[in-house]
Amino acid sequence: MTSGNTTLDGAGAEAGVTVDKEQILSIVQEVLSAMLDAGEVLVFESDPHGESDNDLYAWVDMHMVLPMGDLSARAVVRTEAATANVITQSLLMMDPSEEVSTEDLADAFGEIANVVGGNVKSLIDVPASLSLPSVSAVGSDALSGTFLQDIDLNWRGMPLNVSLWILTDATEWS
Amino acid sequence: MKAIVIDDSRTMRRIISSILKGVGYEVLEAGDGREALDILTENPDTDLCCIDWNMPVMDGLSFVIEVRASREWRNTTLMMVTTESERGQIVKALAAGAHEYLIKPFTPEAILQKLELLGLLPIEENA
């Protein structure tokens, strides 16, 4: 699940669409550096860390119109609820002792997925549209379709995972 | 100076608003293009709109087209602030009447540089 270069399956491959781990890492570093860490790069690739019961998932879908047919893909950011809490406090410039509301957490963590997904979309050299972000504590809501690529990360000592999926069912596009 | 920050993410609205307020802007917020049009109607003296692209109800491009169709708002500067970074999308927004385009993620400095380019940094910041 963590190989280097990966080509999008089927129609994507024919269009020459590729996304590799290094590109995802570069995007996440740019996003977190600009949005959370005042220009510092504090996120790095880490050893794999599996899913836990405390994980939250935020994702956006990309819908590409290719000459050989439409293709939908999903970018998912996964982390523990405690880390999503810290992300929210950082984004909203809250004191660490301040309580984070469920609404703020969903909005802030979803926005991270939105910006990561939007930048992944920019790697794909075909016209594509982006969905609004979704957030869930249920892995099966997010991790849907055919696995394409992922990278395990360490941000300020906390685990993050970014994964890409090909949506095999057109009804999954939202 | 007055700005409207238009983004469906409250988080992003708060971030952009904080930057603009930091240089002296009065800031209003809208969660989609339709809400922003209502606010703009009540605030025709708005100097700047910072506009996300992907929003429910009315997206950012539709908002730009609506604003540019009215002479009443011809002096309002429109800046897209969005994850949409495809060249085609940027061209489309600029052709519709957006003055500037800033891709997320951005730093506070990047927003201030855009304001300076647009001549929209309040005087004390330009000095």
Side-chain angles (χ1 to χ4, degrees):
Chain A
M1 281 181 67
T2 54
S3 60
N5 258 7
T6 301
T7 302
L8 293 184
D9 291 338
E14 290 174 40
V17 178
T18 60
V19 179
D20 64 38
K21 291 173 66 145
E22 287 70 28
Q23 288 173 307
I24 300 173
L25 175 61
S26 175
I27 285 170
V28 177
Q29 286 181 327
E30 185 186 0
V31 170
L32 298 193
S33 164
M35 295 179 74
L36 297 172
D37 297 322
E40 271 192 89
V41 175
L42 299 177
V43 61
F44 304 97
E45 187 169 3
S46 74
D47 292 334
H49 37 77
E51 293 179 66
S52 85
D53 291 342
N54 296 321
D55 280 348
L56 288 180
Y57 304 78
W59 68 94
V60 290
D61 294 342
M62 295 154 261
H63 188 69
M64 291 153 266
V65 180
L66 304 172
M68 60 292 293
D70 294 1
L71 183 69
S72 294
R74 175 170 293 176
V76 182
V77 180
R78 170 174 62 86
T79 193
E80 292 174 354
T83 307
N85 211 62
V86 174
I87 287 172
T88 304
Q89 288 177 324
S90 299
L91 269 178
L92 298 178
M93 294 161 275
M94 296 168 70
D95 189 277
S97 62
E98 277 186 80
E99 195 169 330
V100 172
S101 72
T102 306
E103 277 190 338
D104 278 345
L105 188 142
D107 190 84
F109 188 37
E111 187 60 17
I112 291 291
N114 181 44
V115 180
V116 168
N119 281 267
V120 168
K121 183 168 85 72
S122 74
L123 298 174
I124 302 166
D125 194 22
V126 294
S129 55
L130 196 68
S131 75
L132 298 175
S134 300
V135 177
S136 176
V138 181
S140 58
D141 287 350
L143 308 179
S144 178
T146 304
F147 173 80
L148 178 64
Q149 178 69 279
D150 79 341
I151 184 167
D152 286 291
L153 302 161
N154 179 312
W155 173 67
R156 300 189 194 174
M158 294 173 277
L160 272 178
N161 174 277
V162 177
S163 58
L164 302 179
W165 302 76
I166 297 295
L167 300 181
T168 49
D169 180 351
T171 59
E172 291 174 27
W173 167 249
S174 54
Chain B
M1 299 184 84
K2 189 183 284 186
I4 305 175
V5 176
I6 310 158
D7 199 305
D8 58 314
S9 164
R10 285 180 293 125
T11 302
M12 195 50 70
R13 291 202 302 271
R14 220 180 291 183
I15 291 169
I16 298 170
S17 295
S18 169
I19 296 167
L20 295 178
K21 285 176 183 172
V23 293
Y25 272 85
E26 175 190 351
V27 182
L28 304 166
E29 296 184 11
D32 61 68
R34 175 54 56 193
E35 189 184 346
L37 282 176
D38 292 341
I39 294 174
L40 197 52
T41 300
E42 292 174 9
N43 298 272
D45 58 338
T46 297
D47 301 288
L48 170 71
C49 291
C50 295
I51 312 150
D52 186 24
W53 190 301
N54 295 306
M55 295 182 288
V57 186
M58 178 186 279
D59 66 27
L61 182 64
S62 301
F63 172 80
V64 169
I65 291 168
E66 287 275 337
V67 171
R68 280 294 156 258
S70 169
R71 287 185 55 79
E72 187 184 7
W73 300 318
R74 63 186 180 280
N75 293 324
T76 302
T77 298
L78 305 178
M79 179 162 72
M80 302 297 295
V81 184
T82 173
T83 57
E84 289 288 351
S85 54
E86 287 169 39
R87 184 179 168 77
Q89 300 287 69
I90 296 171
V91 168
K92 199 185 287 184
L94 296 176
H99 298 85
E100 262 298 347
Y101 203 101
L102 183 62
I103 295 167
K104 298 175 185 174
F106 55 81
T107 59
E109 293 74 26
I111 285 206
L112 299 181
Q113 281 173 7
K114 292 289 186 185
L115 294 183
E116 191 165 21
L117 274 174
L118 293 164
L120 287 173
L121 258 189
I123 301 297
E124 49 280 15
E125 287 297 322
N126 272 322

